[in-house]
Amino acid sequence: VLSVPLPSPGTNVVLDWGLGDSNAIIFSRPEREDLPILGVSFLPLFHMLSIKSIVRVWSLMLLERKIIFHSKEIDVITPILEAIRALIFPLSYSGIYIPMCASHILEMLLQSPIPYCIGMASEGIERIDIPDGTWIVDIDQDRIGLITRGFPSKSAGYGVDHLPINIFNTFVDGLKCICSECNVYRDGIADVGNIFQSSQFAAMAASQNIDGSKVRDMALRCMIDLFFNYDQYLIINDQFD
């Protein structure tokens, strides 16, 4: 495998072991103008969080806030964090990024001066003291709250931690159109990403397929709009010379 040459952009290299009909490994690269390859499904993200919550978390990540995700269904945490991280392309997340973290390790990271994006099981969230200014994303309940005086508040910081409202609304409307095309909506079915479906509803949800390339393209368009007109959003304090 290590001797297989790197494919040219837009081409494939097939490594055939010669041991049967389905033992070939295909190495591929996207075209230079295409988005990078992403090995994660967007289904858990859209089945567990509403569209507005998705865009709001995307905003928080771009604004380099401190974010903790938690869920009782630990299998969905990593796919959700990976999917949201993919939406900030062409940027790369430079803060502390741990999709699944133990509570005793998290306690050492909470006082970090740099932003973080961390996932954990819900059973451990009650055992730690979370500092003010941290955003908590309850995946199971589709709730986002800012820790204020030791407790999460849904309203505190809501306007401050949004990107420009026109870009926010454009992203929300675009995702609604994409989800309506494939009939994907938030229903809280956590097993949607599990190959061994535990229920008929999970199997039906998993059979639906959201076009990840359209989702990423919509996010990229919003990123371009944001950076192209970045000077419109600068707040200049002319109080001091």
Side-chain angles (χ1 to χ4, degrees):
V1 175
L2 297 178
S3 64
V4 176
L6 185 67
S8 302
T11 63
N12 298 329
V13 171
V14 180
L15 177 62
D16 193 347
W17 298 100
L19 300 176
D21 296 332
S22 59
N23 287 285
I25 300 177
I26 301 177
F27 299 87
S28 62
R29 289 181 67 189
E31 296 284 356
R32 295 186 187 276
E33 64 272 13
D34 291 342
L35 292 169
I37 294 175
L38 179 64
V40 65
S41 171
F42 280 95
L43 279 177
L45 175 64
F46 285 91
H47 276 283
M48 297 302 293
L49 293 178
S50 64
I51 290 177
K52 285 191 175 181
S53 293
I54 292 171
V55 179
R56 192 176 177 199
V57 172
W58 176 76
S59 302
L60 294 174
M61 185 174 283
L62 285 176
L63 293 167
E64 297 186 326
R65 301 305 187 227
K66 297 178 178 180
I67 317 170
I68 296 176
F69 297 77
H70 70 90
S71 172
K72 295 178 182 178
E73 306 290 342
I74 60 175
D75 290 341
V76 303
I77 299 176
T78 296
I80 286 175
L81 266 68
E82 283 290 289
I84 293 176
R85 187 172 68 149
L87 297 182
I88 68 172
F89 179 84
L91 300 182
S92 297
Y93 188 73
S94 58
I96 298 173
Y97 179 74
I98 307 177
M100 194 63 199
C101 183
S103 57
H104 67 278
I105 298 177
L106 178 60
E107 288 183 294
M108 297 185 292
L109 300 173
L110 291 178
Q111 303 301 327
S112 170
I114 63 176
Y116 48 74
C117 186
I118 299 175
M120 67 176 300
S122 294
E123 62 183 19
I125 198 75
E126 301 293 339
R127 297 198 298 263
I128 57 177
D129 293 326
I130 302 175
D132 289 354
T134 303
W135 286 91
I136 303 297
V137 180
D138 186 339
I139 295 174
D140 300 329
Q141 301 299 323
D142 187 32
R143 287 201 300 255
I144 303 174
L146 176 66
I147 297 296
T148 306
R149 296 179 180 178
F151 297 95
S153 171
K154 292 185 64 176
S155 58
Y158 189 86
V160 175
D161 288 282
H162 264 319
L163 289 177
I165 193 63
N166 60 320
I167 294 178
F168 185 89
N169 289 336
T170 297
F171 200 4
V172 168
D173 293 340
L175 292 181
K176 285 181 178 178
C177 291
I178 295 171
C179 290
S180 63
E181 291 175 359
C182 54
N183 197 30
V184 172
Y185 55 93
R186 184 196 175 271
D187 50 19
I189 299 178
D191 284 344
V192 68
N194 190 345
I195 189 172
F196 302 105
Q197 306 302 331
S198 60
S199 68
Q200 182 180 2
F201 294 108
M204 292 176 60
S207 66
Q208 299 167 329
N209 187 27
I210 189 167
D211 193 335
S213 61
K214 288 185 178 180
V215 175
R216 297 170 72 193
D217 182 70
M218 190 69 235
L220 182 59
R221 290 176 183 271
C222 292
M223 295 285 284
I224 292 172
D225 289 341
L226 177 64
F227 292 132
F228 182 75
N229 298 309
Y230 76 94
D231 56 326
Q232 298 181 15
Y233 310 117
L234 292 178
I235 301 177
I236 300 175
N237 188 347
D238 56 1
Q239 181 178 358
F240 304 99
D241 295 330

